[in-house]
Amino acid sequence: EYLVPGISAVIFFIVFSTLCMTPIAGIFWAVLGWHTPGYIASLIAEKRRLKLQEIAKNFITSSAGLFAAGQSSAEVIRNTSGSIKEPFKTELQKILAAWNLDSNVSIPNRIAEIGERFKLPELTAAAAILAAAETTEGPRMAAKGLKKLGAALRQRDRLRAERKKAVMEPKIAAFVVISLLISGLLLDVTVLRELFMSTKGKLILAAASALDVGLVFMAVKIMRGADLE
């Protein structure tokens, strides 16, 4: 848990202490180095989450149409499992295989389990709709509920797209400013290095490092606002 952040922090400390000629600057960059693996992991996890949400939305939309055509839960799972993307393709095939062995297997419960495992509340909601439909109007009720859920998910995606568009300009501005400041710091510690050999010069580099790292943290905090669920 702490190995990768620790290694990253040490690398940042050594590199920037050497470049800036003072361990004070290295300490600031080490803090950023400690958090960097976490930021990268969060970005990867977020991309995976969005991908899974898109697949789940497509499954719900397709299922709504199939239920509207009067198909049973097992038939819907059979038809959607042929076109849905992984990892849900395998998951639906497992549900179908279990149902073929025992028709008493609860398909809504299995879908709810998938939703919990992948942390997708939309699948949990879909499972609740299917469970309710089994005790009421059957496919007709399932189609109606899933259509409403699909509409809500599309609205969520529209709001998310609007939010992404709204923060795009601040993101670009923050990236440009931070890039310019870091580029300036690198210019100081390479081409203009001789001008900062004194104690005062090293303190200036340390202060510049603190400013750069602080702006990076500020930008990350602003851009990592809670996403729309």
Side-chain angles (χ1 to χ4, degrees):
E1 182 181 357
Y2 299 111
L3 179 60
V4 175
I7 293 174
S8 177
V10 170
I11 292 174
F12 271 62
F13 176 79
I14 293 174
V15 170
F16 284 95
S17 291
T18 302
L19 287 175
C20 297
M21 301 172 286
T22 172
I24 299 176
I27 291 173
F28 293 121
W29 289 102
V31 175
L32 179 60
W34 175 270
H35 290 280
T36 297
Y39 292 154
I40 295 173
S42 295
L43 287 173
I44 295 174
E46 177 65 9
K47 286 186 177 181
R48 174 175 169 77
R49 185 176 72 90
L50 293 176
K51 177 183 177 182
L52 293 178
Q53 286 184 337
E54 182 66 21
I55 298 173
K57 183 185 70 174
N58 292 338
F59 166 71
I60 290 168
T61 302
S62 299
S63 297
L66 294 174
F67 276 117
Q71 294 189 9
S72 67
S73 295
E75 290 172 329
V76 170
I77 295 298
R78 180 180 295 108
N79 289 325
T80 54
S81 65
S83 58
I84 196 170
K85 296 180 180 179
E86 294 289 0
F88 296 143
K89 182 181 184 70
T90 298
E91 296 293 337
L92 294 184
Q93 289 174 344
K94 288 179 180 178
I95 293 176
L96 188 60
W99 187 88
N100 287 333
L101 292 174
D102 181 5
S103 59
N104 292 320
V105 168
S106 173
I107 290 178
N109 286 348
R110 293 298 182 92
I111 294 176
E113 290 173 1
I114 297 173
E116 292 175 1
R117 194 180 319 136
F118 290 96
K119 299 180 180 179
L120 293 170
E122 50 265 69
L123 284 185
T124 305
I129 292 171
L130 296 184
E134 288 183 350
T135 60
T136 53
E137 302 177 36
R140 180 182 175 185
M141 177 68 176
K144 186 184 300 183
L146 292 179
K147 284 181 180 178
K148 290 182 179 179
L149 178 58
L153 294 176
R154 288 190 292 274
Q155 176 66 9
R156 177 201 65 188
D157 290 346
R158 284 193 292 270
L159 293 174
R160 181 181 286 161
E162 291 174 3
R163 178 182 179 277
K164 183 178 180 180
K165 183 179 180 180
V167 300
M168 183 57 66
E169 289 186 7
K171 276 186 177 181
I172 295 174
F175 178 79
V176 171
V177 171
I178 293 172
S179 296
L180 289 174
L181 289 174
I182 293 178
S183 297
L185 178 63
L186 293 176
L187 179 66
D188 292 339
V189 300
T190 53
V191 178
L192 305 176
R193 188 178 184 84
E194 292 185 0
L195 299 178
F196 297 90
M197 298 294 288
S198 65
T199 301
K200 181 179 179 181
K202 294 175 183 179
L203 290 176
I204 291 174
L205 293 178
S209 296
L211 175 62
D212 290 351
V213 171
L215 287 175
V216 170
F217 280 122
M218 185 182 299
V220 170
K221 184 177 181 179
I222 293 173
M223 301 308 168
R224 289 179 67 184
D227 203 351
L228 293 166
E229 297 295 338

